Amino acid sequence: MTTPSPPALTEPISSAADLARFWAALMGDGGFGRRTLWLVLLDDEGRPVPTVVPVDDVPEVPSAADVDSFGQFFDHLDGYGTPVLLLSRPGPPAVRAEDRQWGRALAGLAPRWPVHLATEDAAGRCVVTPLG
């Protein structure tokens, strides 16, 4: 028996608000123990493909080499879908300078959609914030 996915995980994404709902549904509740970059591809109709790629333990601040490596990886995804990206990290939801650095660096690699940040609030609920 399979458990159906919440609608936010399967519906087409056509706006920044849709994307934020998707990330919130995907991340669920609970904290983040490490800094992770999440990649999902959207098909031609804006539907998320059923594969999520987490890249764990990314550095606090992106280096030029990090951005170059991700760019090369994204080049190999050409034709498979449109990438959407989220950075998650432990700690409070206030956007930090290093979060913005990641947002700016990644926005150049996947310019169609905003990069998001996932953290948790004081009650442990997931908070998704655009980094644009």
Side-chain angles (χ1 to χ4, degrees):
M1 178 174 173
T2 60
T3 304
S5 297
L9 293 176
T10 58
E11 293 175 353
I13 294 171
S14 60
S15 69
D18 292 345
L19 182 56
R21 278 190 295 278
F22 166 78
W23 284 126
L26 184 64
M27 295 293 109
D29 286 331
F32 302 98
R34 56 175 43 146
R35 185 179 301 274
T36 300
L37 177 63
W38 302 85
L39 165 71
V40 171
L41 296 173
L42 304 179
D43 69 16
D44 290 339
E45 296 175 5
R47 293 185 190 278
V49 300
T51 301
V52 178
V53 180
V55 180
D56 290 330
D57 300 321
V58 296
E60 191 167 331
V61 175
S63 69
D66 295 326
V67 176
D68 198 43
S69 292
F70 285 126
Q72 289 177 28
F73 176 67
F74 292 172
D75 286 346
H76 292 289
L77 299 175
D78 192 34
Y80 290 98
T82 301
V84 291
L85 302 164
L86 174 131
L87 177 69
S88 65
R89 63 159 172 77
V95 177
R96 302 173 182 166
E98 56 270 17
D99 301 329
R100 290 190 199 288
Q101 287 178 302
W102 270 109
R104 283 190 300 272
L106 296 171
L109 301 176
R112 182 161 180 232
W113 294 100
V115 176
H116 284 82
L117 172 69
T119 55
E120 63 181 309
D121 66 13
R125 294 176 301 234
C126 179
V127 176
V128 174
T129 307
L131 282 178

